[in-house]
Amino acid sequence: MRWSVFIVCLLVVLGGWMREDVSASEGEILFFAEGEDGRGIYAMDFGGEHVRKVGALSEREAVVTSMSASRDGKKLLCVVAMEGCSETRKLVIKAALPRSGMERYGDEREISGTETLRTAVLSPEGERVAWVGKAADGGMDLWVKDAGATLEGSKHLVYCERGSQIWSPSFDPQSVRIVYAINSGESGRIEVVNPKGEVTPLHRMDGERIVSVDWSFRGGLVFMSARGRIFTMRSDGGPPKTVGALHKTEIGHPRVVRWSWDATRCVVGCFPHGVATITGGGSIEKWTGDGKFSKLYGTVAVRPVPVKKDLASEMRQRAMPELVVDSVPSGARVTLDGKVRGNTPFRTRLEIGSHRIKVEKVFCADWERTLYLSRGEKKRIVAELEKRGNLRVSSEPPGASLFVDGVFAGLTSVTLESLPPEPRIIEVACEGWEPMRDMVSVEPGRTTEVDVALRKPLLPLLRAEDIGRTVKPYVTMPVGGLGVAKKTLKKRMRWGMFYGGLSMGLMGAKFVYEKADGKGISLCVGGLICAFVAYPREKEGERAEILRAMRDQNAEIRQYNAETELLLKTRNAAIEAENREIEAYNRERAGKRMEVR
């Protein structure tokens, strides 16, 4: 009995110790290259210290154009171009690398004709395949099928017209949605499609193509532009974050970007000389194989590394509390203790104690709580997110000041995120333009775009004061200088003496009449003599001189005023012509003053 118990316990311990599970390490990098051991698929760790060949191609197989691994790391999907015909490609699923060699599953049929296979990707569970084919009219299609089914059993999801290309599809962690890039001309955009064929745009880059995009097992997105710039972004959209850039250096042209298993760094396949890894902080490590490889085709994939767990760690994990997070609507990003962990529905085990959880989704208000988890507890929470909307305001001219409900919100064009769905009063003002004020309703679950066309104000006509001149009045009084002033004063004094002498003469005549007195006669005669002597007499030459000075001064004033009037007419005519152009401009934009989309 004792021996049987001992043997059972020993088997349990050994079974737990030998159990394989997916680790949280970075995983290993798979790449296609030509090396000392021939042409084939190689595997190496992230440090580049251990490199081994895990598979070779047949004589009819030329190049592996794309690869993707399942979540358990036991299946690898390859798109293989055939020898002698680069347009002929087929799907190959290689299983259990590198233990049991290169076992082939799935569709072995060579694809050619009107819909030529271009690229494909394997779902995390390894049960579904999304592939891109070239249509007969020159456009491209995105299809999805079961891993064991033929291409004829595929379901069509997305079509893009001729001149556009679908690049680099990738499944989400739940193997439901597919993210891909569409390039048209010199611009690219990222979109997501669900099994029903409903497309959701995530991001657009103007003037730069997107060559690769990947969806990590943790829920985030990474994508790379044709210039080698690498960005990360939330899986539900939002502004991208620049991680780093790999230009055409000594390791070649960047072609493919992939997440590491733990989503802490990115792997970039560069044609024709190397592989690079970039951490979240922008640190770049380059690997060229130390001369062991003549050519690396830039085809890379990342798969997790199975590791062994002991019984003690497994029992400790089982004792840890379990947390299940769901949200309404689902697909929200979950952040635990400041680290992004995935999207809802989300399940994990945490340490015992308090944890800060944050659930966020585009067009919804953030949901935050602090939870305490005890030993062995299983807790499920549902975050009901309040739907919100975004408001994007652009203007013509750009760079205008935007005020929302009286508060400065930035310079146009500007996007305001997570606004409650209610009417908002916006005002757009720019120096030299008429301000615009109106009410806009923010709709939940979408970005309300407002294009504002400001009106140009009419220019006011100029006055004489605006050009530094004045309209002078004409002279009506003699203004001839100091000599004329003295003569005028002298003249006034003589008139005063004349009236004074005349008054004395009249008063003396009154005394003579009343009293016949000699004093009265003397007073009368003296006053009349004084009045006669003081009476002012103008000379004709002096008066003519004063009038001539007035005429000359008025002529100068008339000429000055005529010049001022001519200058005002010339400048105001130019202003009126410009005002006519402004009125025509405003009439043309009258129907476009504010467009809400």
Side-chain angles (χ1 to χ4, degrees), residues 67 106 342 366 375 420 466 548 576 579:
M67 294 189 297
D366 295 346
R375 180 183 180 85
D466 299 328
R548 186 169 50 254
E576 289 174 351
N579 282 340

Side-chain angles (χ1 to χ4, degrees), residues 83-143:
E83 195 73 51
C85 183
S86 60
E87 293 297 323
T88 302
R89 303 182 182 185
K90 65 180 179 179
L91 292 177
V92 177
I93 294 182
K94 304 180 184 297
L97 296 177
R99 298 175 186 82
S100 60
M102 307 293 290
E103 186 177 359
R104 299 174 183 272
Y105 293 91
D107 193 351
E108 289 287 342
R109 187 173 65 86
E110 298 180 3
I111 309 302
S112 62
T114 58
E115 295 182 354
T116 304
L117 175 69
R118 308 306 301 167
T119 185
V121 64
L122 187 66
S123 67
E125 284 78 11
E127 302 299 330
R128 305 175 71 201
V129 173
W131 61 281
V132 177
K134 189 174 181 181
D137 61 355
M140 301 191 78
D141 297 289
L142 176 63
W143 305 78

Side-chain angles (χ1 to χ4, degrees), residues 184-222:
S184 178
E186 295 299 324
S187 299
R189 65 183 186 271
I190 298 176
E191 296 179 348
V192 171
V193 62
N194 61 17
K196 298 180 180 179
E198 299 172 344
V199 176
T200 302
L202 292 185
H203 182 66
R204 179 180 179 86
M205 295 187 72
D206 293 326
E208 197 165 357
R209 297 164 63 89
I210 300 173
V211 297
S212 181
V213 58
D214 188 39
W215 209 323
S216 79
F217 294 139
R218 298 280 179 97
L221 292 175
V222 62

Side-chain angles (χ1 to χ4, degrees), residues 239-361:
K241 177 184 176 182
T242 303
V243 175
L246 276 173
H247 303 288
K248 294 181 180 179
T249 59
E250 67 277 3
I251 66 172
H253 182 69
R255 293 183 56 184
V256 180
V257 62
R258 294 286 183 262
W259 276 111
S260 65
W261 169 250
D262 58 357
T264 58
R265 65 175 66 192
C266 305
V267 180
V268 182
C270 301
F271 177 83
H273 298 306
V275 176
T277 59
I278 302 179
T279 64
S283 176
I284 300 176
E285 297 180 3
K286 302 173 183 178
W287 181 86
T288 57
D290 298 329
K292 296 181 180 180
F293 297 94
S294 59
K295 182 182 292 186
L296 284 86
Y297 287 83
T299 304
V300 296
V302 179
R303 70 167 183 171
V305 178
V307 296
K308 300 174 182 179
K309 287 188 176 180
D310 57 15
L311 181 61
S313 63
E314 185 175 355
M315 293 183 64
R316 178 178 176 273
Q317 184 178 6
R318 291 181 179 179
M320 295 172 63
E322 183 179 1
L323 176 64
V324 178
V325 183
D326 206 342
S327 66
V328 180
S330 61
R333 185 174 69 172
V334 179
T335 304
L336 289 174
D337 300 326
K339 295 183 179 180
V340 178
R341 299 295 299 274
N343 294 348
T344 59
F346 174 77
R347 182 189 298 269
T348 187
R349 291 185 179 273
L350 299 172
E351 298 289 341
I352 299 172
S354 297
H355 298 275
R356 186 68 177 173
I357 180 172
K358 181 179 180 181
V359 182
E360 51 189 339
K361 186 178 177 65

Side-chain angles (χ1 to χ4, degrees), residues 26-42:
E26 296 170 315
E28 65 179 359
I29 301 173
L30 301 175
F31 60 94
F32 177 72
E34 294 181 7
E36 296 175 350
D37 297 333
R39 184 179 55 185
I41 299 175
Y42 293 80

Side-chain angles (χ1 to χ4, degrees), residues 433-556:
W433 298 75
E434 292 183 0
M436 198 285 299
R437 180 184 177 93
D438 210 331
M439 180 176 292
V440 176
S441 295
V442 179
E443 299 183 12
R446 63 184 296 266
T447 298
T448 302
E449 297 187 7
V450 181
D451 293 332
V452 178
L454 298 180
R455 294 171 57 93
K456 290 184 178 180
L458 298 179
L459 301 176
L461 297 179
L462 299 175
R463 299 174 301 175
E465 294 81 2
D466 299 328
I467 60 175
R469 303 173 76 94
T470 58
V471 178
K472 296 182 179 181
Y474 292 104
V475 176
T476 57
M477 296 294 294
V479 180
L482 183 61
V484 176
K486 289 181 178 180
K487 293 178 180 179
T488 303
L489 179 60
K490 183 177 179 181
K491 186 175 182 180
R492 290 178 179 177
M493 293 177 62
R494 296 187 62 163
W495 275 109
M497 293 175 63
F498 168 75
Y499 286 115
L502 186 60
S503 299
M504 290 175 60
L506 294 176
M507 189 180 296
K510 181 179 179 184
F511 285 151
V512 171
Y513 176 76
E514 292 178 352
K515 299 181 179 182
D517 191 358
K519 293 181 179 179
I521 296 173
S522 300
L523 184 60
C524 178
V525 173
L528 292 175
I529 294 174
C530 180
F532 178 77
V533 173
Y535 182 77
R537 297 175 178 83
E538 285 188 355
K539 298 180 180 179
E540 287 298 329
E542 187 176 322
R543 179 179 180 84
E545 181 182 355
I546 294 174
L547 292 176
R548 186 169 50 254
M550 290 173 59
R551 284 195 300 270
D552 294 343
Q553 191 167 359
N554 284 335
E556 294 178 0

